[in-house]
Amino acid sequence: ISDMGNSIRSVVPNAKCVGASFACAGLRKGNTIHVMNWKGSAKDQTINIPEIDHTMFPPDHSVMLNDLEAGAYGVVSLSETKEARNYFTKLWGPKGGQVVSKSGNTIVLAMGSGLGAALIYNDIWTNTSVVIPTESGFLLAAARGINHPTYKDDVANINYVSDHYYKGLHSPCFEDLASGRGLPLDYDYLVGHPTGKDALQIVNAAKAGDEKAKLAMQNHYKYFLRVAKSVGAGMHCSSIVMAQSNQVSNKWLIEQIIPALEAEFKD
């Protein structure tokens, strides 16, 4: 941020920032942001907001947002200008309606390197949409009941991820299964051993005809829909928005598996 400010002032010496907002993929706690997908210790992952260059982040005139919080405000803006339908396709549900619900709340979810979520609260008293940042991706993943037809694979996949991250002691969170870092583990489970492949390699393998890679992608979307329905029901949402370039680039797969995703969501 300091480098950016110096670069601007090298061109326009008298340039002055009077207010700023930054979006960060992390948990905001008081005057800090904990960036979960940075490597290292908790200290290495922490941004101290008061230490940010004041010439670019003026105190009392600046805000640090969670990335999904910022993204949800963008979805609200698109909805208010009636442009949202240019960017979003309804996968299922009743005809009509709005991307951002006018009769209830909306949850905006994004599966990228992690799994982010923000709630758009429909305030009936002020007729405004208020965005509430959440960490719904860290809800604990739940397996099916023992008589469900997918029970065996569900439990085995979840236990594989639990062994990887938590030595089998704890249940994984949804982000451990449905994310850029979750997809390789979902794939390794199907293969039966660590492969060392990253998410992009698995996507390319799926496009090239690797059935296990394709199934791993389908499974990580399945867990994505599982957290969507959990949050959607728990937060009394009338619409759910999947907002990320991930969905755009994987449109070829999503169009094939819409019935499976809808069945997962409604189960």
Side-chain angles (χ1 to χ4, degrees), residues 16 52 61 65 78 81 100 103 117 187 240 242 245 260 266:
K16 182 180 180 181
I52 297 175
H61 293 276
L65 302 171
L78 286 172
T81 57
V100 175
S103 60
Y187 179 69
I240 292 173
M242 295 161 61
S245 59
K266 292 179 176 179

Side-chain angles (χ1 to χ4, degrees), residues 170-183:
H170 307 293
S171 177
C173 63
F174 279 108
E175 184 175 293
D176 294 330
L177 296 149
S179 63
R181 64 180 176 84
L183 178 56

Side-chain angles (χ1 to χ4, degrees), residues 141-160 177 189 219 222-223 226 264 267:
R144 298 301 193 194
I146 195 167
N147 291 326
H148 195 281
T150 69
Y151 171 78
K152 184 178 179 180
D153 280 331
D154 262 5
V155 170
N157 194 355
I158 288 172
N159 284 344
Y160 185 91
L177 296 149
Y189 157 68
N219 285 345
K222 176 183 74 175
Y223 288 113
R226 203 172 289 183
E264 173 63 42
D267 186 351

